[in-house]
Structures are given as C-alpha cells and as structure tokens.
Amino acid sequence: MILFFQFDIPADIAVFGGDHLLVFQCPTHNDAVVAQGAPEQLPPGFWDTPPPLYTAPGAFWRIMLHRDDTSPAANPDEYLRPRRLDLRPAAEHVTIWWPGDVLSDGQDLDSAFNAHGIGLREFKIGGVPSWIQGREFYTCPCGNDLVYLCQLPTDTGFDKHHDRPEQLDTFRFGQYGLFLGNETYVLACPAHCHPAAAWPVNQN
Ligand SMILES: [Zn+2]
Ligand SMILES: [Zn+2]
C-alpha cells in the first residue's frame, strides 16, 4: 500500500493527542468507502477485515493509529514524492446552515452549535468536521462510540513520482488521491482497542 500521509497528533488534541496516525491506500484500487454493509454498530472483527467493495476484493485502505515507540521506516514511499506537513494552530469557524430546521425557541446556543454546527472544509486535525452530507455515527466493536480525529477536504492531491503511472480514476493528473477525492472524516476508537481502529467516512 501507498503511505499517503502521517503525522504525530499534537498533544492538545482531545483523546488522541500523542498518537501517531498513518493513512494508506492501495496503488491500484481507488474507490469511496461506503457505509453499506457497515451498520452503525460495527461488527466483531471489523478492524481485522474491513468490508470489501465491488471493485476491490478486500479493504483497499488502512489507517493505523498507535502510540508505540517505533522508528521511521528505512525506505521512502515508492509512489508519492515526500512532502513535509507543517501544522499550525488555527481557529475553527462553526456554522449552522439551516437554523430554522434545527433550532427551537429558547434553546441555548452552545448546545445548538454542539448538536448542529459544522466546521471549515480544510485539512485539519481536531476542530469540528464539515459534514457536507450530515453527521454520521459509528460504534466500535469494543462498544465505544468512534470519535472524530481529522479530515481531508475534497480532492486533496498528493504528488506522484514522475515514473509512476497515473492513478486509476484520478481527479488530477500527476497526483494520487484517497477515496476518489471524497471529503474524508477520520473517526477512531477512543479506547485504542485495535491498532487499525480508524474509519474514513466519505462524503461529497
Ligand atoms: Zn488493491
Ligand atoms: Zn474500539
């Protein structure tokens, strides 16, 4: 699999601060991850064998989340050009788009924004997901509700090496993307019950 990106999660991110996240996808399979076959209560063994798709016999992606003391891999990724990811603190902007549909008279604003607010459509760790098709909830096989960790905006491209083929169904020549370029919200198990207990919710 291709390593698309990785980072140390900043210490001030709730639940996952101090973890290391790595996101992989197969070089020859490219698709959206759909919730079909993945009910809100994820079944036992889900992280060992995430559901296959029509276009891929098994899971064509993998997200690892751990805090073990490991060292860098000896070899760089063979498909993508190495890039440095610089993180900086930023302010979130939370919006309620259809307040007439979701707010009731007298509701206090903090709880209204917690229940219905969506954040900016940016690459970010923490903050509030932008949920362009509405919120989704999943419960881990271990019984904990998955918690939002980070998101990728639509059509986030990663530069490929010149000698590598174009990605199947790419949205931009010269780049590879995750999940057909869908906006992606990574939800993960707060109990760290499995080193791959992270689920990429796709929306567009
Ligand atoms: Zn594959
Ligand atoms: Zn779990």
Side-chain angles (χ1 to χ4, degrees):
M1 290 214 183
I2 297 176
L3 173 60
F4 275 77
F5 67 88
Q6 62 177 332
F7 52 72
D8 291 321
I9 300 172
D12 61 346
I13 298 297
V15 182
F16 303 110
D19 291 354
H20 189 77
L21 181 91
L22 307 100
V23 177
F24 301 87
Q25 185 174 297
C26 172
T28 57
H29 288 114
N30 187 16
D31 210 329
V33 173
V34 287
Q36 289 165 353
E40 292 181 3
Q41 170 63 62
L42 303 178
F46 184 81
W47 303 121
D48 287 322
T49 50
L53 296 170
Y54 301 114
T55 51
F60 63 99
W61 54 274
R62 204 51 146 158
I63 301 175
M64 305 298 291
L65 180 69
H66 69 85
R67 54 179 70 187
D68 304 336
D69 188 17
T70 55
S71 46
N75 300 313
D77 187 81
E78 294 180 3
Y79 281 81
L80 302 181
R81 299 169 70 182
R83 292 282 187 261
R84 182 185 170 90
L85 180 62
D86 285 319
L87 303 174
R88 57 181 168 77
E92 182 64 282
H93 294 263
V94 181
T95 303
I96 296 178
W97 281 108
W98 311 108
D101 294 348
V102 297
L103 299 186
S104 53
D105 289 343
Q107 186 175 14
D108 89 90
L109 275 182
D110 279 352
S111 62
F113 274 95
N114 281 335
H116 304 291
I118 61 169
L120 295 172
R121 297 180 66 182
E122 295 182 342
F123 185 102
K124 62 190 177 188
I125 307 169
V128 176
S130 48
W131 292 132
I132 52 179
Q133 287 185 325
R135 296 184 175 206
E136 295 187 28
F137 299 91
Y138 297 95
T139 303
C140 188
C142 78
N144 285 284
D145 290 337
L146 298 188
V147 174
Y148 160 74
L149 166 55
C150 64
Q151 80 170 47
L152 259 79
T154 301
D155 292 352
T156 300
F158 298 80
D159 294 338
K160 73 176 184 69
H161 284 298
H162 297 304
D163 61 349
R164 291 291 159 177
E166 294 294 342
Q167 186 187 29
L168 179 72
D169 297 326
T170 188
F171 52 82
R172 197 175 299 126
F173 289 112
Q175 293 190 322
Y176 278 45
L178 289 156
F179 314 122
L180 294 177
N182 275 278
E183 194 151 288
T184 299
Y185 316 97
V186 175
L187 312 183
C189 177
H192 299 83
C193 68
H194 189 290
W199 175 240
V201 176
N202 286 176
Q203 295 187 353
N204 66 27

